[in-house]
Amino acid sequence: IKAALGLELQNAFGMTETLMVMTTLLGNAADGACAVLGHPLPGVRIGLTACPDWPISGKKCDIYRLYVSSAFGAFGYLEQDGEHSSWSEWLPTGDWVERTATGLKFVGREHDDFFKDGFGVKVARARLMEIYGGFGAPIVHVECCPIVDQPGLAALIFVGEAESDEPSGSIVTRSDITAQVRNMLDARHERLRQEMEEFEARHLTVTRFCCIQGAPPRTAKGAVSRATI
């Protein structure tokens, strides 16, 4: 096919993987730049809304949220009584794009639904919110990330402003606070081992953590800004 049509074949599985291959791997070989998104297919329209809460401060570019409208899209869920719940004409893709002179360029996702640890195990962020939410003082928020060289998670644990006289955003050095946080984590981990299989618990256990003074950074809508973290 490549010889006959001059086309390069790339293997991708599913819409998400195909998007990532097209927008991040097939750049211009000369300069290594990411390719811009192509024109919409017939019957498909795209929409953009300004993104004032773009998390990377100081980046001077036109960043937008990407929406898609298609004649082939679903109208909503079909209920058992024959009725259906209507959806908006415009589907939010969850993608951020940059508007350039040559077209739209993919720059990131608004929300990451999951990540993979160093062993390829998928960890859902919604699951982590269930496990490591609702601690109470001094813990305000737990932000987990994968560890490359072993199973388990690392975590940035934000503690309240009143818990220390250290400046907001700094690493907490008070041993009494870190000891309290460690005890709270140990209690939560013990519950995990009782409720889960060993394999799952091992990959969802926080084995390394660092306490950060103050509240986590947030977007204009109030959500925790993982990009800023």
Side-chain angles (χ1 to χ4, degrees), residues 54-195:
W54 170 245
I56 302 179
S57 59
K59 183 175 175 62
K60 296 181 179 179
C61 56
D62 294 326
I63 303 297
Y64 297 85
R65 290 183 174 88
L66 178 65
Y67 297 78
V68 175
S69 175
S70 170
F72 315 104
F75 291 104
Y77 286 116
L78 183 64
E79 308 294 347
Q80 291 185 351
D81 58 6
E83 299 294 327
H84 71 273
S85 56
S86 298
W87 290 349
S88 170
E89 175 186 3
W90 292 95
L91 172 70
T93 64
D95 293 327
W96 281 317
V97 295
E98 178 183 356
R99 191 175 184 179
T100 71
T102 56
L104 299 178
K105 184 180 296 183
F106 174 79
V107 295
R109 292 282 296 168
E110 185 168 7
H111 301 292
D112 295 324
D113 300 325
F114 66 88
F115 58 78
K116 289 185 178 180
D117 65 15
F119 293 78
V121 176
K122 277 188 175 182
V123 179
R125 292 195 180 278
R127 184 74 173 117
L128 292 178
M129 291 176 64
E130 294 176 0
I131 296 173
Y132 294 109
F135 271 112
I139 296 176
V140 175
H141 176 74
V142 178
E143 187 65 31
C144 296
C145 60
I147 298 177
V148 176
D149 57 350
Q150 67 182 52
L153 303 169
L156 291 178
I157 300 180
F158 294 84
V159 300
E161 299 284 0
E163 303 301 332
S164 172
D165 55 3
E166 296 169 317
S168 181
S170 62
I171 297 176
V172 175
T173 57
R174 280 179 48 181
S175 59
D176 58 329
I177 294 179
T178 56
Q180 184 180 3
V181 169
R182 182 180 297 278
N183 290 336
M184 296 171 75
L185 284 175
D186 288 344
R188 191 64 57 95
H189 293 154
E190 181 60 30
R191 194 180 76 185
L192 289 183
R193 287 189 286 269
Q194 295 175 0
E195 297 177 351

